[in-house]
Amino acid sequence: MQTDPKPGTLYVVGTPIGNLEDMTFRAVRILQAVDLIAAEDTRHTGKLLQHFQVKTPQMSYHDHNRSTRIPELLEHLKYGKAIALVSDAGMPGISDPGFELVKACIDEGISVVPIPGPSAAITALSASGLPTNKFIFEGFLPAKTQQRREYLESLQSESRTLVFYESPHRLRDTLQDLGAVLGRDRSIVIGRELTKLYEEFWRGTIGEASDRYNQQEPQGEYTLLVAGIPPSKPHLTETELKAELLQIMNQGISRSQASRQLAQETSLSRRYLYQLALSIVLDDE
């Protein structure tokens, strides 16, 4: 069923993540028929529009101008214009500022219509070989090492498959931190340049992946899929955890070291275990 774009409607349009043949007929039709296209990078989207002979005018909408662009776009929509929102690749709103425009439209009672298309996270997950019945998408991890490790510590006990995006210049550091926090033996699948000419899936352990990319220069965009902890891991109560910590500390090991050791054994957050360790009163204190 084909209908022309409705006035005063925001269309969230998925575009290819690499292979232009993944563009849907509906997406092309909507882009041709709307009054305006809000694009993350007008030069990048311009190449896509040229390929599909779309002549609709563009307006830039990205992370650095969203505070001024959102009121402008809302004004256009209130005056009855139909607008398509696109990102550089994939579905808008996934790890990009599209979310804020969509939310602003909903808050103003403006209709939002999704035009589904490819997503790197789902594309990689479908071919990963890791469990897909339950997964958690975390997007891009923090850029700074300390913040990244602290964030990963909050995911130590996660049993669902973990999905991340990563850029080539941070891949090595991220793999190193994944190994330090989640363990080098944890299974990982790395999807690179998905749907493009040099698409690649690499499977192994985090440690093997780290060693590989320390010897090989990362190139392209990456999607990382990390196995969750096995559900068979024993669940210890807070009292049992304190008993384990006390037993380790009685061997002359510091609270910090004991917390780190137990975190590796249980896949629980080191920070959480350290707080428990601080609550334990030792005989010589």
Side-chain angles (χ1 to χ4, degrees):
M1 180 181 69
Q2 293 191 7
T3 57
D4 293 330
K6 296 178 181 178
T9 299
L10 178 71
Y11 290 87
V12 182
V13 182
T15 56
I17 59 177
N19 194 320
L20 292 180
E21 291 183 1
D22 293 335
M23 189 74 167
T24 68
F25 293 116
R26 186 184 179 200
V28 172
R29 181 174 58 80
I30 291 295
L31 292 178
Q32 289 173 334
V34 293
D35 300 297
L36 181 67
I37 297 171
E40 188 174 2
D41 185 332
T42 55
R43 291 169 299 179
H44 180 89
T45 300
K47 297 175 183 178
L48 177 74
L49 300 182
Q50 184 177 11
H51 180 84
F52 289 104
Q53 300 180 343
V54 175
K55 301 182 191 272
T56 307
Q58 296 187 75
M59 174 187 285
S60 66
Y61 171 75
H62 49 72
D63 200 40
H64 301 294
N65 70 0
R66 57 186 173 181
S67 60
T68 56
R69 280 292 195 244
I70 288 178
E72 291 181 48
L73 291 167
L74 290 177
E75 197 69 18
H76 285 307
L77 289 162
K78 289 175 182 178
Y79 274 100
K81 287 190 175 182
I83 298 177
L85 171 67
V86 300
S87 66
D88 284 351
M91 284 300 295
I94 308 299
S95 289
D96 70 33
F99 156 76
E100 295 197 19
L101 176 58
V102 169
K103 185 178 185 303
C105 286
I106 293 170
D107 290 343
E108 293 290 331
I110 294 170
S111 179
V112 178
V113 176
I115 310 297
S119 166
I122 300 301
T123 300
L125 187 66
S126 68
S128 68
L130 295 177
T132 58
N133 58 324
K134 293 182 180 180
F135 64 92
I136 179 170
F137 174 66
E138 292 292 334
F140 288 94
L141 288 165
K144 295 183 178 179
T145 298
Q146 182 177 349
Q147 294 174 344
R148 185 165 55 240
R149 290 200 175 197
E150 289 175 353
Y151 192 85
L152 287 172
E153 285 176 358
S154 70
L155 299 173
Q156 281 181 320
S157 59
E158 181 59 66
S159 61
R160 294 171 290 184
T161 299
L162 304 169
V163 185
F164 307 99
Y165 288 158
E166 195 50 275
S167 60
H169 67 276
R170 283 208 303 262
L171 180 67
R172 288 172 173 168
D173 291 339
T174 292
L175 289 173
Q176 183 176 345
D177 291 341
L178 282 168
V181 178
L182 302 184
R184 287 174 57 87
D185 293 332
R186 186 87 69 99
S187 294
I188 187 173
V189 177
I190 300 177
R192 184 178 74 88
E193 294 290 88
L194 297 176
T195 79
K196 299 178 183 177
L197 180 62
Y198 297 105
E199 175 183 273
E200 176 187 36
F201 280 92
W202 184 92
R203 299 171 175 85
T205 66
I206 293 174
E208 292 168 341
S210 185
D211 293 342
R212 180 178 193 256
Y213 282 102
N214 281 334
Q215 301 172 10
Q216 174 182 321
E217 189 69 27
Q219 294 181 335
E221 298 300 320
Y222 292 87
T223 303
L224 312 180
L225 305 106
V226 181
I229 63 168
S232 58
K233 287 263 185 182
H235 176 72
L236 300 178
T237 65
E238 186 172 300
T239 300
E240 291 171 330
L241 289 171
K242 286 183 178 180
E244 291 287 335
L245 287 167
L246 180 59
Q247 184 176 353
I248 297 172
M249 289 189 292
N250 282 337
Q251 300 172 21
I253 297 175
S254 69
R255 284 179 166 83
S256 177
Q257 291 174 319
S259 303
R260 188 179 300 277
Q261 178 178 323
L262 192 58
Q264 293 175 344
E265 295 174 3
T266 62
S267 295
L268 293 173
S269 165
R270 180 186 60 81
R271 177 173 293 186
Y272 166 67
L273 293 172
Y274 183 63
Q275 292 301 317
L276 291 182
L278 289 175
S279 68
I280 299 173
V281 178
L282 300 176
D283 294 337
D284 56 352
E285 293 182 335

